[in-house]
Amino acid sequence: MLTETHLGVEHLIYPIFLKDGKQIKEEIDSLPGNYRWSVDKLLSELEECLKLGIKTIDIFPAVDEALKDKTASYSYAQDNFYLLAIRTIKERFPELTIMTDVAMDPYSSDGHDGYVENGEIMNDATLPILAKMAVAQAQAGADIIGPSDMMDGRVGAIREALDDS
């Protein structure tokens, strides 16, 4: 009654680092105790999370360099392992809230959050890419779309694309 803030397990969001493949659980050197998972290995981990009362996850993809390009086109490709994993997780655990990462950097051959032209990040050219990515994630079953880039106007562009689709 006297506390201002209550923090419980129901408020936690578990960050998941997802990698394409099978039977993968590899520790991330820079984040001891955290792993990159393949979806098949991740499912039992998510089952344990739900037993503990953790009902929200935020998924971040680790994309192979060969799939990256200037326009981050793999981010919204139908065969994207990240999108397939979201579908698989949502089918297996419909009660789980899935948050996604909307940013070009995991998919961009330039490694930036935005579309790069002549060494400069092009804000307006980035917005349609982020919008396509967000729509693809929502269609895959994401509950919360999480733009993590720094592009001006991204929320409006994403919202409009989601509303239109």
Side-chain angles (χ1 to χ4, degrees):
M1 185 168 93
L2 300 175
T3 61
E4 291 182 27
T5 305
H6 167 73
L7 180 61
V9 72
E10 68 274 11
H11 299 115
L12 299 177
I13 299 174
Y14 183 29
I16 301 289
F17 303 94
L18 193 64
K19 188 171 182 176
D20 194 17
K22 298 231 183 279
Q23 296 298 306
I24 299 171
K25 180 185 177 185
E26 62 183 34
E27 189 163 20
I28 301 170
D29 292 338
S30 59
L31 294 169
N34 290 277
Y35 302 89
R36 287 184 195 92
W37 302 86
S38 57
V39 73
D40 60 330
K41 287 286 243 183
L42 179 62
L43 295 176
S44 61
E45 175 76 359
L46 295 177
E47 196 169 323
E48 290 301 312
C49 288
L50 286 168
K51 287 178 186 175
L52 293 170
I54 299 170
K55 296 179 180 170
T56 304
I57 61 171
D58 193 355
I59 309 174
F60 300 91
V63 179
D64 187 276
E65 292 296 320
L67 298 171
K68 297 179 180 186
D69 63 22
K70 198 165 184 55
T71 60
S73 63
Y74 184 66
S75 67
Y76 49 85
Q78 290 304 304
D79 63 345
N80 179 329
F81 77 92
Y82 181 71
L83 300 174
L84 296 172
I86 293 168
R87 286 184 183 93
T88 300
I89 293 166
K90 195 47 107 169
E91 286 172 12
R92 176 88 180 265
F93 305 108
E95 70 277 25
L96 195 62
T97 300
I98 299 175
M99 183 174 182
T100 57
D101 180 39
V102 177
M104 283 183 62
D105 60 319
Y107 304 97
S108 169
S109 54
D110 293 309
H112 290 289
D113 275 346
Y115 178 78
V116 178
E117 190 174 289
N118 299 322
E120 187 177 335
I121 295 175
M122 308 303 291
N123 188 87
D124 292 350
T126 302
L127 299 180
I129 298 167
L130 297 175
K132 284 184 200 176
M133 188 185 312
V135 168
Q137 291 174 3
Q139 289 172 338
D143 300 293
I144 302 170
I145 301 298
S148 66
D149 67 296
M150 299 299 287
M151 298 298 112
D152 290 336
R154 72 192 182 291
V155 173
I158 291 169
R159 178 79 259 169
E160 184 177 338
L162 290 169
D163 288 344
D164 288 349
S165 71

